[in-house]
């Protein structure tokens, strides 16, 4: 059994728990999708920070340029960056997946105030923790982002690569598609979100997923300690994602309860 297969076997239960999370049963109206996106957008943002750490660490982004230790890994990372940071949106314009997500939020009527404030503070040079606090982000969402940056600050490429590869299990798109089909059967009102989901599935399944696994293999090679740390971070990251899903599910359930009370 190779190391990748071993890790996938070890995390299979957590991935199944994520796939069968009660959150997906809570997503049955467009208002639920809005609330989901308002919180999940922070995970979309910090995913890019994981990726940019890998690019900074595994490719040469400084001047003067020097050859990298592994051109194979550099190619993997740069190909993923190309797709995530400068993909083409539904109208053929270059755009990052984070920006596509923001555009989709705006189109469905989700509130972007918190993520806008957060990014403004980050751009102004504030720390991630300070910016999360300023934007009044739900503490459980903030905990998820802070965990991501604890890995980045620790600075181990194989651990960051593990969280990037194994810890970002995709949102199950069928649940979103069912809501979109019910709310926008003609694909005219929410086409940006539909495009984002379809593009995300296409890239992750056909290109970025396999590339990320190859990156892990290259980074760890025959180093047993690194493989053990990759497994540890994979388990930890999936548990953090489950905790994030728990939090968003609770927020949606509470929103539904409040809506019922208002109608009563």
């Amino acid at each position: 059994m190779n190391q990748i297969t071993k890790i996938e076997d070890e995390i299979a239960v957590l991935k199944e728990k994520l796939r069968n999370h009660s959150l997906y049963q809570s997503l049955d109206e467009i208002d639920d999708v809005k609330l989901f996106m308002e919180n999940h957008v922070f995970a979309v943002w910090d995913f890019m920070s994981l990726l940019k750490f890998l690019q900074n660490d595994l490719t040469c982004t400084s001047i003067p340029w020097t050859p990298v230790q592994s051109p194979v890994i550099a190619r993997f990372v740069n190909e993923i960056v190309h797709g995530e940071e400068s993909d083409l949106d539904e109208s053929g314009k270059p755009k990052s997946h984070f920006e596509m997500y923001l555009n989709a939020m705006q189109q469905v009527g989700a509130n972007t105030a918190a993520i806008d404030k957060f990014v403004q503070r980050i751009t102004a040079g504030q720390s991630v923790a300070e910016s999360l606090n300023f934007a009044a982000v739900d503490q459980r969402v903030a905990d998820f982002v802070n965990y991501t940056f604890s890995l980045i600050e620790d600075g181990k490429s194989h651990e960051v690569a593990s969280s990037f590869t194994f810890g970002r299990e995709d949102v199950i798109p069928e649940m979103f598609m069912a809501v979109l089909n019910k709310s926008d059967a003609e694909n005219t009102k929410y086409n940006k979100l539909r495009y984002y989901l379809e593009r995300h599935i296409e890239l992750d399944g056909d290109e970025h997923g396999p590339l990320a696994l190859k990156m892990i293999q290259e980074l760890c090679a025959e180093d047993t300690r690194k493989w053990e740390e990759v497994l540890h971070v994979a388990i930890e990251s999936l548990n953090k994602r489950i905790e994030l899903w728990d939090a968003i599910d609770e927020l949606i359930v509470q929103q539904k309860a409040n809506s019922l009370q208002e109608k009563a």
Side-chain angles (χ1 to χ4, degrees):
M1 180 185 297
N2 66 40
Q3 293 287 357
I4 292 291
T5 302
K6 179 181 176 182
I7 290 171
E8 289 178 335
D9 286 348
E10 290 281 348
I11 64 177
V13 172
L14 290 174
K15 291 178 75 173
E16 190 64 21
K17 185 175 180 181
L18 196 56
R19 290 192 190 103
N20 294 318
H21 199 284
S22 59
L23 170 63
Y24 302 122
Q25 279 66 57
S26 298
L27 291 166
D28 55 21
E29 300 290 343
I30 200 67
D31 283 346
D32 307 327
V33 172
K34 291 178 187 178
L35 185 54
F36 174 89
M37 296 181 78
E38 289 164 10
N39 291 279
H40 176 245
V41 66
F42 289 91
V44 177
W45 176 84
D46 79 350
F47 174 84
M48 287 302 301
S49 294
L50 287 173
L51 178 56
K52 297 306 283 188
F53 170 91
L54 293 171
Q55 186 181 36
N56 288 337
D57 204 46
L58 301 174
T59 76
C60 184
T61 57
S62 60
I63 300 171
W65 177 87
T66 55
V68 295
Q69 183 174 353
S70 173
V72 174
I73 293 178
R75 182 178 177 85
F76 294 158
V77 173
N78 284 330
E79 285 188 17
I80 295 172
V81 170
H82 174 71
E84 294 288 341
E85 191 173 37
S86 54
D87 201 5
L88 299 178
D89 69 9
E90 77 288 347
S91 60
K93 296 179 180 178
K95 198 166 289 183
S96 70
H97 283 197
F98 171 73
E99 291 167 301
M100 287 186 200
Y101 198 89
L102 278 181
N103 291 160
M105 287 180 68
Q106 292 161 355
Q107 190 182 54
V108 303
N111 189 342
T112 64
I115 188 65
D116 289 342
K117 288 179 183 178
F118 173 77
V119 172
Q120 287 166 7
R121 284 284 163 158
I122 291 291
T123 303
Q126 296 293 310
S127 71
V128 170
E130 289 171 331
S131 300
L132 288 166
N133 185 58
F134 176 80
V137 177
D138 184 283
Q139 186 58 50
R140 297 161 297 183
V141 176
D143 289 343
F144 180 87
V145 176
N146 285 326
Y147 168 73
T148 296
F149 276 83
S150 72
L151 290 176
I152 290 171
E153 288 162 10
D154 190 44
K156 293 182 180 179
S157 297
H158 59 285
E159 290 184 341
V160 172
S162 177
S163 185
F164 179 89
T165 303
F166 300 111
R168 296 307 180 108
E169 179 70 6
D170 287 336
V171 175
I172 296 181
E174 287 81 1
M175 301 299 174
F176 286 92
M177 294 302 186
V179 177
L180 293 177
N181 288 339
K182 181 171 67 173
S183 305
D184 183 25
E186 300 299 320
N187 193 29
T188 55
K189 292 192 296 183
Y190 309 131
N191 64 304
K192 292 181 184 294
L193 177 55
R194 192 187 300 270
Y195 178 85
Y196 171 87
L197 292 169
E198 290 174 346
R199 185 67 178 141
H200 204 63
I201 296 162
E202 178 185 0
L203 282 177
D204 282 358
D206 296 340
E207 299 177 31
H208 296 176
L211 286 176
L213 290 174
K214 289 179 182 178
M215 177 174 61
I216 294 282
Q217 290 175 320
E218 289 282 334
L219 285 170
C220 294
E222 303 301 321
D223 191 320
T224 303
R225 178 186 58 81
K226 285 185 177 180
W227 281 110
E228 289 173 352
E229 290 174 344
V230 163
L231 174 59
H232 173 77
V233 169
I235 291 171
E236 198 170 57
S237 296
L238 282 169
N239 276 319
K240 293 295 181 183
R241 174 54 70 97
I242 291 168
E243 289 172 9
L244 178 64
W245 263 210
D246 289 344
I248 298 176
D249 189 28
E250 184 179 317
L251 290 171
I252 290 173
V253 170
Q254 185 59 55
Q255 177 177 260
K256 289 178 183 290
N258 292 343
S259 178
L260 288 173
Q261 286 180 352
E262 290 172 2
K263 292 176 182 178

